[in-house]
Amino acid sequence: MSETFHDSTVTRDVDTAEAKLQATYASIVLGTDPHTNGLRYAEEVHGENRFVVARHLFDGDVECAAELPFFTVASVVGSYLWRTGGEEGDLSQSPAIFQPGRRLDASVSHADVSAVSITVESLAATAAAQFGDGVTMRFDSALPVTRALGEHWLAVARLARQTALTEAFENDLVRASIYRQLAIATIEAFPLTGDHQARRTTVASRAVAFKRAVSYIDDHASLPITVDDIATAAGTTVPELDRAFDMHLPYTADQYLHSVRLSAAHRDLREGKTDVHGGVAAVAARWGFVDVDAFEAHYRFRFGTSPEQTLGC
């Protein structure tokens, strides 16, 4: 997985503020002579190669013009009047998505701006996982499909920002989960170009398949089931099953089955559910781990201790 990066700045120097914004958003220019408006600028930026979570505080009045290289969804406390793609709005009333290839012009006044940026490649991959190949990565409007979906995006973004401020953000699995939630919330909240009804149907059917698959795995993990059995029980195909899991979790159905079995083996070892002669190997075999060395390596990585130590407790 990629490394994280973090940056924070507080400045009254407009050139520094502009340089910091350009470091995150590439082509962005501050206008309306903010030197004379007494602008004070502060920012906090956290991210990795797929997404960036940022907060920008403008204490003063300033005009902005930008050509963004990725998809950025923003909201604000204060005043942020935007114009892009023949539309205009106020971020204080609703979050909005700004797209590559569409110039963004904004009038900002004493604003606390929260923004999430996702690379085109990453968002396209997530959209393809949900809806299949051939998705056009354009949005018909900068505004959410409904107010409720806009509110949902805001809730997901708040959680992402809170997590970015903690040590948990350095964990690859945590960031993978954050990215997935942000990407899916963005795709659902804003109107992707194409057949919206077909997409809503696809999302609903995959949600049902995911719930069925998780229930089946939880109930049958002790049996010699495979990903084919899981797909059949969920009423879908293996590729569609993978897309359903990709929509909800940062791993596949097969990996989820592996995780459930590893947790069950941990429980058996902790409760001493083995015999004197069988030991760790018997528990590993009970849960489908034929290679004991590989089982011990996975176990140590997951639980931070060896199976033998758990059994001896």
mmCIF file of all heavy atoms in Angstrom, residues 23-68:
data_model
loop_
_atom_site.group_PDB
_atom_site.id
_atom_site.type_symbol
_atom_site.label_atom_id
_atom_site.label_comp_id
_atom_site.label_asym_id
_atom_site.label_seq_id
_atom_site.Cartn_x
_atom_site.Cartn_y
_atom_site.Cartn_z
ATOM 1 N N ALA A 23 0.028 22.961 -4.424
ATOM 2 C CA ALA A 23 0.660 21.692 -4.092
ATOM 3 C C ALA A 23 -0.367 20.570 -3.980
ATOM 4 O O ALA A 23 -0.083 19.407 -4.281
ATOM 5 C CB ALA A 23 1.436 21.823 -2.782
ATOM 6 N N THR A 24 -1.578 20.938 -3.558
ATOM 7 C CA THR A 24 -2.644 19.943 -3.433
ATOM 8 C C THR A 24 -3.497 19.846 -4.683
ATOM 9 O O THR A 24 -3.818 18.747 -5.146
ATOM 10 C CB THR A 24 -3.550 20.282 -2.226
ATOM 11 O OG1 THR A 24 -2.756 20.358 -1.039
ATOM 12 C CG2 THR A 24 -4.630 19.223 -2.042
ATOM 13 N N TYR A 25 -3.852 21.000 -5.263
ATOM 14 C CA TYR A 25 -4.834 21.019 -6.339
ATOM 15 C C TYR A 25 -4.268 21.411 -7.703
ATOM 16 O O TYR A 25 -5.038 21.664 -8.638
ATOM 17 C CB TYR A 25 -5.975 21.972 -5.962
ATOM 18 C CG TYR A 25 -6.668 21.567 -4.684
ATOM 19 C CD1 TYR A 25 -6.437 22.268 -3.503
ATOM 20 C CD2 TYR A 25 -7.529 20.478 -4.657
ATOM 21 C CE1 TYR A 25 -7.065 21.889 -2.326
ATOM 22 C CE2 TYR A 25 -8.156 20.096 -3.481
ATOM 23 C CZ TYR A 25 -7.918 20.800 -2.312
ATOM 24 O OH TYR A 25 -8.537 20.417 -1.149
ATOM 25 N N ALA A 26 -2.959 21.495 -7.831
ATOM 26 C CA ALA A 26 -2.302 21.813 -9.104
ATOM 27 C C ALA A 26 -2.645 23.225 -9.555
ATOM 28 O O ALA A 26 -2.202 24.184 -8.956
ATOM 29 C CB ALA A 26 -2.657 20.772 -10.163
ATOM 30 N N SER A 27 -3.463 23.369 -10.585
ATOM 31 C CA SER A 27 -3.717 24.688 -11.173
ATOM 32 C C SER A 27 -4.805 25.433 -10.403
ATOM 33 O O SER A 27 -5.998 25.192 -10.586
ATOM 34 C CB SER A 27 -4.144 24.533 -12.643
ATOM 35 O OG SER A 27 -4.478 25.779 -13.198
ATOM 36 N N ILE A 28 -4.383 26.322 -9.501
ATOM 37 C CA ILE A 28 -5.330 27.146 -8.764
ATOM 38 C C ILE A 28 -4.691 28.523 -8.548
ATOM 39 O O ILE A 28 -3.504 28.626 -8.260
ATOM 40 C CB ILE A 28 -5.723 26.505 -7.419
ATOM 41 C CG1 ILE A 28 -6.836 27.304 -6.742
ATOM 42 C CG2 ILE A 28 -4.525 26.327 -6.514
ATOM 43 C CD1 ILE A 28 -7.486 26.567 -5.590
ATOM 44 N N VAL A 29 -5.484 29.561 -8.728
ATOM 45 C CA VAL A 29 -4.979 30.929 -8.642
ATOM 46 C C VAL A 29 -5.886 31.742 -7.728
ATOM 47 O O VAL A 29 -7.120 31.653 -7.820
ATOM 48 C CB VAL A 29 -4.918 31.589 -10.040
ATOM 49 C CG1 VAL A 29 -4.449 33.030 -9.928
ATOM 50 C CG2 VAL A 29 -3.992 30.798 -10.965
ATOM 51 N N LEU A 30 -5.277 32.511 -6.832
ATOM 52 C CA LEU A 30 -6.026 33.416 -5.969
ATOM 53 C C LEU A 30 -6.035 34.805 -6.586
ATOM 54 O O LEU A 30 -5.001 35.298 -7.032
ATOM 55 C CB LEU A 30 -5.390 33.482 -4.579
ATOM 56 C CG LEU A 30 -5.279 32.157 -3.815
ATOM 57 C CD1 LEU A 30 -4.659 32.394 -2.446
ATOM 58 C CD2 LEU A 30 -6.636 31.492 -3.666
ATOM 59 N N GLY A 31 -7.212 35.430 -6.615
ATOM 60 C CA GLY A 31 -7.328 36.755 -7.228
ATOM 61 C C GLY A 31 -7.967 37.770 -6.307
ATOM 62 O O GLY A 31 -7.985 37.602 -5.086
ATOM 63 N N THR A 32 -8.512 38.843 -6.876
ATOM 64 C CA THR A 32 -9.145 39.954 -6.145
ATOM 65 C C THR A 32 -8.208 40.550 -5.097
ATOM 66 O O THR A 32 -8.626 40.896 -4.002
ATOM 67 C CB THR A 32 -10.455 39.482 -5.460
ATOM 68 O OG1 THR A 32 -11.223 38.728 -6.387
ATOM 69 C CG2 THR A 32 -11.308 40.677 -5.050
ATOM 70 N N ASP A 33 -6.949 40.640 -5.435
ATOM 71 C CA ASP A 33 -5.921 41.231 -4.582
ATOM 72 C C ASP A 33 -6.164 40.971 -3.094
ATOM 73 O O ASP A 33 -6.475 41.888 -2.326
ATOM 74 C CB ASP A 33 -5.823 42.738 -4.811
ATOM 75 C CG ASP A 33 -4.503 43.286 -4.224
ATOM 76 O OD1 ASP A 33 -3.678 42.453 -3.794
ATOM 77 O OD2 ASP A 33 -4.340 44.495 -4.201
ATOM 78 N N PRO A 34 -6.018 39.710 -2.672
ATOM 79 C CA PRO A 34 -6.232 39.397 -1.259
ATOM 80 C C PRO A 34 -5.237 40.093 -0.340
ATOM 81 O O PRO A 34 -5.434 40.140 0.865
ATOM 82 C CB PRO A 34 -6.058 37.867 -1.208
ATOM 83 C CG PRO A 34 -5.246 37.540 -2.423
ATOM 84 C CD PRO A 34 -5.642 38.540 -3.460
ATOM 85 N N HIS A 35 -4.135 40.652 -0.905
ATOM 86 C CA HIS A 35 -3.193 41.397 -0.075
ATOM 87 C C HIS A 35 -3.911 42.550 0.655
ATOM 88 O O HIS A 35 -3.653 42.827 1.818
ATOM 89 C CB HIS A 35 -2.059 41.979 -0.935
ATOM 90 C CG HIS A 35 -1.175 40.938 -1.561
ATOM 91 N ND1 HIS A 35 -1.496 40.332 -2.752
ATOM 92 C CD2 HIS A 35 0.005 40.408 -1.157
ATOM 93 C CE1 HIS A 35 -0.545 39.469 -3.078
ATOM 94 N NE2 HIS A 35 0.392 39.497 -2.123
ATOM 95 N N THR A 36 -4.808 43.194 -0.066
ATOM 96 C CA THR A 36 -5.490 44.350 0.516
ATOM 97 C C THR A 36 -6.682 43.952 1.370
ATOM 98 O O THR A 36 -7.240 44.780 2.088
ATOM 99 C CB THR A 36 -5.978 45.301 -0.595
ATOM 100 O OG1 THR A 36 -6.929 44.617 -1.413
ATOM 101 C CG2 THR A 36 -4.806 45.760 -1.451
ATOM 102 N N ASN A 37 -7.090 42.668 1.283
ATOM 103 C CA ASN A 37 -8.241 42.203 2.053
ATOM 104 C C ASN A 37 -7.837 41.547 3.369
ATOM 105 O O ASN A 37 -8.677 41.015 4.091
ATOM 106 C CB ASN A 37 -9.066 41.202 1.228
ATOM 107 C CG ASN A 37 -9.729 41.867 0.040
ATOM 108 O OD1 ASN A 37 -9.966 43.064 0.069
ATOM 109 N ND2 ASN A 37 -10.008 41.107 -1.000
ATOM 110 N N GLY A 38 -6.538 41.546 3.669
ATOM 111 C CA GLY A 38 -6.073 40.998 4.941
ATOM 112 C C GLY A 38 -6.332 39.513 5.087
ATOM 113 O O GLY A 38 -6.750 39.047 6.149
ATOM 114 N N LEU A 39 -6.095 38.728 4.037
ATOM 115 C CA LEU A 39 -6.373 37.299 4.083
ATOM 116 C C LEU A 39 -5.444 36.576 5.056
ATOM 117 O O LEU A 39 -4.237 36.777 5.051
ATOM 118 C CB LEU A 39 -6.202 36.690 2.687
ATOM 119 C CG LEU A 39 -6.412 35.169 2.604
ATOM 120 C CD1 LEU A 39 -7.887 34.838 2.826
ATOM 121 C CD2 LEU A 39 -5.943 34.637 1.253
ATOM 122 N N ARG A 40 -6.030 35.731 5.888
ATOM 123 C CA ARG A 40 -5.277 34.775 6.696
ATOM 124 C C ARG A 40 -5.714 33.391 6.250
ATOM 125 O O ARG A 40 -6.916 33.103 6.198
ATOM 126 C CB ARG A 40 -5.554 34.965 8.190
ATOM 127 C CG ARG A 40 -4.851 33.943 9.096
ATOM 128 C CD ARG A 40 -5.204 34.203 10.556
ATOM 129 N NE ARG A 40 -4.581 33.249 11.455
ATOM 130 C CZ ARG A 40 -5.112 32.054 11.777
ATOM 131 N NH1 ARG A 40 -6.278 31.681 11.232
ATOM 132 N NH2 ARG A 40 -4.500 31.243 12.615
ATOM 133 N N TYR A 41 -4.742 32.547 5.942
ATOM 134 C CA TYR A 41 -5.055 31.226 5.386
ATOM 135 C C TYR A 41 -4.446 30.135 6.262
ATOM 136 O O TYR A 41 -3.320 30.255 6.753
ATOM 137 C CB TYR A 41 -4.505 31.101 3.969
ATOM 138 C CG TYR A 41 -4.647 29.711 3.384
ATOM 139 C CD1 TYR A 41 -5.893 29.261 2.949
ATOM 140 C CD2 TYR A 41 -3.551 28.858 3.295
ATOM 141 C CE1 TYR A 41 -6.035 27.975 2.432
ATOM 142 C CE2 TYR A 41 -3.691 27.576 2.769
ATOM 143 C CZ TYR A 41 -4.937 27.137 2.344
ATOM 144 O OH TYR A 41 -5.076 25.871 1.835
ATOM 145 N N ALA A 42 -5.212 29.047 6.458
ATOM 146 C CA ALA A 42 -4.714 27.886 7.189
ATOM 147 C C ALA A 42 -5.232 26.622 6.512
ATOM 148 O O ALA A 42 -6.328 26.624 5.925
ATOM 149 C CB ALA A 42 -5.156 27.926 8.651
ATOM 150 N N GLU A 43 -4.445 25.557 6.572
ATOM 151 C CA GLU A 43 -4.885 24.303 5.971
ATOM 152 C C GLU A 43 -4.337 23.110 6.737
ATOM 153 O O GLU A 43 -3.303 23.186 7.412
ATOM 154 C CB GLU A 43 -4.447 24.206 4.503
ATOM 155 C CG GLU A 43 -2.960 23.983 4.303
ATOM 156 C CD GLU A 43 -2.584 23.673 2.868
ATOM 157 O OE1 GLU A 43 -3.324 24.068 1.954
ATOM 158 O OE2 GLU A 43 -1.529 23.026 2.662
ATOM 159 N N GLU A 44 -5.066 21.992 6.638
ATOM 160 C CA GLU A 44 -4.610 20.687 7.095
ATOM 161 C C GLU A 44 -4.910 19.706 5.969
ATOM 162 O O GLU A 44 -6.056 19.632 5.501
ATOM 163 C CB GLU A 44 -5.329 20.250 8.370
ATOM 164 C CG GLU A 44 -4.926 21.015 9.616
ATOM 165 C CD GLU A 44 -5.607 20.459 10.854
ATOM 166 O OE1 GLU A 44 -6.408 19.511 10.701
ATOM 167 O OE2 GLU A 44 -5.342 20.970 11.949
ATOM 168 N N VAL A 45 -3.895 18.983 5.531
ATOM 169 C CA VAL A 45 -4.047 18.059 4.405
ATOM 170 C C VAL A 45 -3.516 16.685 4.811
ATOM 171 O O VAL A 45 -2.408 16.575 5.342
ATOM 172 C CB VAL A 45 -3.280 18.563 3.168
ATOM 173 C CG1 VAL A 45 -3.416 17.574 2.012
ATOM 174 C CG2 VAL A 45 -3.783 19.937 2.753
ATOM 175 N N HIS A 46 -4.312 15.654 4.578
ATOM 176 C CA HIS A 46 -3.922 14.282 4.885
ATOM 177 C C HIS A 46 -4.297 13.419 3.685
ATOM 178 O O HIS A 46 -5.382 13.583 3.114
ATOM 179 C CB HIS A 46 -4.665 13.762 6.120
ATOM 180 C CG HIS A 46 -4.599 14.695 7.295
ATOM 181 N ND1 HIS A 46 -3.578 14.692 8.199
ATOM 182 C CD2 HIS A 46 -5.448 15.695 7.678
ATOM 183 C CE1 HIS A 46 -3.786 15.625 9.108
ATOM 184 N NE2 HIS A 46 -4.920 16.251 8.823
ATOM 185 N N GLY A 47 -3.431 12.494 3.316
ATOM 186 C CA GLY A 47 -3.793 11.670 2.170
ATOM 187 C C GLY A 47 -2.820 10.578 1.845
ATOM 188 O O GLY A 47 -1.870 10.292 2.587
ATOM 189 N N GLU A 48 -3.085 9.943 0.715
ATOM 190 C CA GLU A 48 -2.238 8.912 0.140
ATOM 191 C C GLU A 48 -2.422 9.003 -1.365
ATOM 192 O O GLU A 48 -2.875 10.036 -1.870
ATOM 193 C CB GLU A 48 -2.617 7.537 0.692
ATOM 194 C CG GLU A 48 -4.111 7.242 0.617
ATOM 195 C CD GLU A 48 -4.428 5.810 0.235
ATOM 196 O OE1 GLU A 48 -4.231 4.892 1.057
ATOM 197 O OE2 GLU A 48 -4.883 5.625 -0.906
ATOM 198 N N ASN A 49 -2.050 7.948 -2.105
ATOM 199 C CA ASN A 49 -2.058 8.086 -3.563
ATOM 200 C C ASN A 49 -3.449 8.052 -4.184
ATOM 201 O O ASN A 49 -3.632 8.474 -5.322
ATOM 202 C CB ASN A 49 -1.199 6.985 -4.208
ATOM 203 C CG ASN A 49 -1.788 5.601 -4.014
ATOM 204 O OD1 ASN A 49 -2.415 5.310 -2.989
ATOM 205 N ND2 ASN A 49 -1.587 4.722 -4.971
ATOM 206 N N ARG A 50 -4.485 7.579 -3.447
ATOM 207 C CA ARG A 50 -5.829 7.496 -4.021
ATOM 208 C C ARG A 50 -6.716 8.679 -3.655
ATOM 209 O O ARG A 50 -7.588 9.056 -4.432
ATOM 210 C CB ARG A 50 -6.522 6.208 -3.550
ATOM 211 C CG ARG A 50 -5.923 4.937 -4.080
ATOM 212 C CD ARG A 50 -6.488 3.730 -3.380
ATOM 213 N NE ARG A 50 -6.139 3.741 -1.943
ATOM 214 C CZ ARG A 50 -6.405 2.740 -1.106
ATOM 215 N NH1 ARG A 50 -7.048 1.669 -1.542
ATOM 216 N NH2 ARG A 50 -6.047 2.811 0.166
ATOM 217 N N PHE A 51 -6.504 9.244 -2.478
ATOM 218 C CA PHE A 51 -7.416 10.294 -2.029
ATOM 219 C C PHE A 51 -6.721 11.245 -1.065
ATOM 220 O O PHE A 51 -5.706 10.915 -0.446
ATOM 221 C CB PHE A 51 -8.658 9.694 -1.375
ATOM 222 C CG PHE A 51 -8.402 9.058 -0.034
ATOM 223 C CD1 PHE A 51 -8.684 9.745 1.141
ATOM 224 C CD2 PHE A 51 -7.883 7.774 0.064
ATOM 225 C CE1 PHE A 51 -8.454 9.173 2.379
ATOM 226 C CE2 PHE A 51 -7.651 7.192 1.299
ATOM 227 C CZ PHE A 51 -7.936 7.895 2.467
ATOM 228 N N VAL A 52 -7.305 12.422 -0.944
ATOM 229 C CA VAL A 52 -6.821 13.448 -0.024
ATOM 230 C C VAL A 52 -8.017 13.988 0.752
ATOM 231 O O VAL A 52 -9.080 14.241 0.178
ATOM 232 C CB VAL A 52 -6.139 14.612 -0.782
ATOM 233 C CG1 VAL A 52 -5.807 15.753 0.172
ATOM 234 C CG2 VAL A 52 -4.884 14.133 -1.490
ATOM 235 N N VAL A 53 -7.833 14.136 2.059
ATOM 236 C CA VAL A 53 -8.831 14.760 2.921
ATOM 237 C C VAL A 53 -8.225 16.066 3.412
ATOM 238 O O VAL A 53 -7.131 16.067 3.988
ATOM 239 C CB VAL A 53 -9.187 13.855 4.119
ATOM 240 C CG1 VAL A 53 -10.195 14.553 5.025
ATOM 241 C CG2 VAL A 53 -9.735 12.521 3.634
ATOM 242 N N ALA A 54 -8.912 17.185 3.171
ATOM 243 C CA ALA A 54 -8.304 18.479 3.482
ATOM 244 C C ALA A 54 -9.301 19.431 4.134
ATOM 245 O O ALA A 54 -10.523 19.310 3.952
ATOM 246 C CB ALA A 54 -7.743 19.116 2.216
ATOM 247 N N ARG A 55 -8.735 20.378 4.885
ATOM 248 C CA ARG A 55 -9.524 21.465 5.465
ATOM 249 C C ARG A 55 -8.783 22.767 5.171
ATOM 250 O O ARG A 55 -7.579 22.885 5.413
ATOM 251 C CB ARG A 55 -9.662 21.272 6.972
ATOM 252 C CG ARG A 55 -10.531 22.318 7.657
ATOM 253 C CD ARG A 55 -10.589 22.089 9.153
ATOM 254 N NE ARG A 55 -11.430 23.074 9.828
ATOM 255 C CZ ARG A 55 -11.506 23.192 11.151
ATOM 256 N NH1 ARG A 55 -10.802 22.380 11.925
ATOM 257 N NH2 ARG A 55 -12.276 24.117 11.690
ATOM 258 N N HIS A 56 -9.508 23.743 4.626
ATOM 259 C CA HIS A 56 -8.922 25.029 4.258
ATOM 260 C C HIS A 56 -9.718 26.148 4.920
ATOM 261 O O HIS A 56 -10.944 26.208 4.772
ATOM 262 C CB HIS A 56 -8.956 25.217 2.736
ATOM 263 C CG HIS A 56 -8.383 24.061 1.972
ATOM 264 N ND1 HIS A 56 -7.038 23.881 1.804
ATOM 265 C CD2 HIS A 56 -8.995 23.023 1.338
ATOM 266 C CE1 HIS A 56 -6.830 22.785 1.092
ATOM 267 N NE2 HIS A 56 -7.992 22.245 0.804
ATOM 268 N N LEU A 57 -9.033 27.015 5.653
ATOM 269 C CA LEU A 57 -9.699 28.137 6.323
ATOM 270 C C LEU A 57 -9.252 29.444 5.684
ATOM 271 O O LEU A 57 -8.052 29.745 5.627
ATOM 272 C CB LEU A 57 -9.364 28.149 7.811
ATOM 273 C CG LEU A 57 -9.992 27.009 8.640
ATOM 274 C CD1 LEU A 57 -9.028 25.834 8.715
ATOM 275 C CD2 LEU A 57 -10.343 27.483 10.037
ATOM 276 N N PHE A 58 -10.227 30.198 5.185
ATOM 277 C CA PHE A 58 -9.972 31.505 4.577
ATOM 278 C C PHE A 58 -10.562 32.572 5.494
ATOM 279 O O PHE A 58 -11.781 32.743 5.560
ATOM 280 C CB PHE A 58 -10.628 31.592 3.200
ATOM 281 C CG PHE A 58 -10.087 30.614 2.191
ATOM 282 C CD1 PHE A 58 -10.611 29.335 2.088
ATOM 283 C CD2 PHE A 58 -9.061 30.982 1.334
ATOM 284 C CE1 PHE A 58 -10.128 28.430 1.157
ATOM 285 C CE2 PHE A 58 -8.564 30.092 0.394
ATOM 286 C CZ PHE A 58 -9.094 28.816 0.305
ATOM 287 N N ASP A 59 -9.703 33.271 6.213
ATOM 288 C CA ASP A 59 -10.149 34.364 7.068
ATOM 289 C C ASP A 59 -9.957 35.661 6.285
ATOM 290 O O ASP A 59 -8.915 36.312 6.359
ATOM 291 C CB ASP A 59 -9.329 34.376 8.361
ATOM 292 C CG ASP A 59 -9.841 35.421 9.347
ATOM 293 O OD1 ASP A 59 -10.869 36.047 9.052
ATOM 294 O OD2 ASP A 59 -9.194 35.601 10.392
ATOM 295 N N GLY A 60 -10.962 35.984 5.492
ATOM 296 C CA GLY A 60 -10.885 37.121 4.585
ATOM 297 C C GLY A 60 -11.653 36.823 3.320
ATOM 298 O O GLY A 60 -12.350 35.807 3.226
ATOM 299 N N ASP A 61 -11.539 37.696 2.331
ATOM 300 C CA ASP A 61 -12.257 37.544 1.063
ATOM 301 C C ASP A 61 -11.255 37.275 -0.052
ATOM 302 O O ASP A 61 -10.219 37.937 -0.135
ATOM 303 C CB ASP A 61 -13.051 38.809 0.736
ATOM 304 C CG ASP A 61 -14.048 39.156 1.828
ATOM 305 O OD1 ASP A 61 -14.565 38.221 2.459
ATOM 306 O OD2 ASP A 61 -14.269 40.345 2.059
ATOM 307 N N VAL A 62 -11.600 36.319 -0.926
ATOM 308 C CA VAL A 62 -10.681 35.993 -2.013
ATOM 309 C C VAL A 62 -11.451 35.349 -3.160
ATOM 310 O O VAL A 62 -12.465 34.680 -2.951
ATOM 311 C CB VAL A 62 -9.556 35.054 -1.517
ATOM 312 C CG1 VAL A 62 -10.121 33.702 -1.110
ATOM 313 C CG2 VAL A 62 -8.470 34.889 -2.564
ATOM 314 N N GLU A 63 -10.986 35.555 -4.376
ATOM 315 C CA GLU A 63 -11.500 34.866 -5.562
ATOM 316 C C GLU A 63 -10.540 33.733 -5.910
ATOM 317 O O GLU A 63 -9.316 33.878 -5.776
ATOM 318 C CB GLU A 63 -11.598 35.831 -6.744
ATOM 319 C CG GLU A 63 -12.519 37.018 -6.515
ATOM 320 C CD GLU A 63 -13.985 36.626 -6.569
ATOM 321 O OE1 GLU A 63 -14.349 35.777 -7.412
ATOM 322 O OE2 GLU A 63 -14.765 37.167 -5.765
ATOM 323 N N CYS A 64 -11.098 32.616 -6.355
ATOM 324 C CA CYS A 64 -10.273 31.468 -6.756
ATOM 325 C C CYS A 64 -10.678 31.011 -8.150
ATOM 326 O O CYS A 64 -11.862 31.045 -8.512
ATOM 327 C CB CYS A 64 -10.450 30.301 -5.794
ATOM 328 S SG CYS A 64 -9.937 30.617 -4.103
ATOM 329 N N ALA A 65 -9.696 30.555 -8.915
ATOM 330 C CA ALA A 65 -9.951 29.918 -10.203
ATOM 331 C C ALA A 65 -9.081 28.669 -10.265
ATOM 332 O O ALA A 65 -7.897 28.718 -9.895
ATOM 333 C CB ALA A 65 -9.610 30.862 -11.348
ATOM 334 N N ALA A 66 -9.655 27.554 -10.694
ATOM 335 C CA ALA A 66 -8.901 26.298 -10.664
ATOM 336 C C ALA A 66 -9.279 25.388 -11.823
ATOM 337 O O ALA A 66 -10.408 25.414 -12.317
ATOM 338 C CB ALA A 66 -9.142 25.573 -9.341
ATOM 339 N N GLU A 67 -8.301 24.576 -12.253
ATOM 340 C CA GLU A 67 -8.501 23.454 -13.167
ATOM 341 C C GLU A 67 -8.014 22.226 -12.416
ATOM 342 O O GLU A 67 -6.814 21.985 -12.316
ATOM 343 C CB GLU A 67 -7.710 23.659 -14.460
ATOM 344 C CG GLU A 67 -8.183 24.806 -15.320
ATOM 345 C CD GLU A 67 -9.390 24.451 -16.173
ATOM 346 O OE1 GLU A 67 -9.786 23.264 -16.162
ATOM 347 O OE2 GLU A 67 -9.936 25.362 -16.817
ATOM 348 N N LEU A 68 -8.925 21.462 -11.847
ATOM 349 C CA LEU A 68 -8.544 20.371 -10.955
ATOM 350 C C LEU A 68 -8.153 19.115 -11.743
ATOM 351 O O LEU A 68 -8.783 18.789 -12.749
ATOM 352 C CB LEU A 68 -9.700 20.039 -10.022
ATOM 353 C CG LEU A 68 -10.193 21.204 -9.148
ATOM 354 C CD1 LEU A 68 -11.402 20.776 -8.326
ATOM 355 C CD2 LEU A 68 -9.074 21.686 -8.231
#
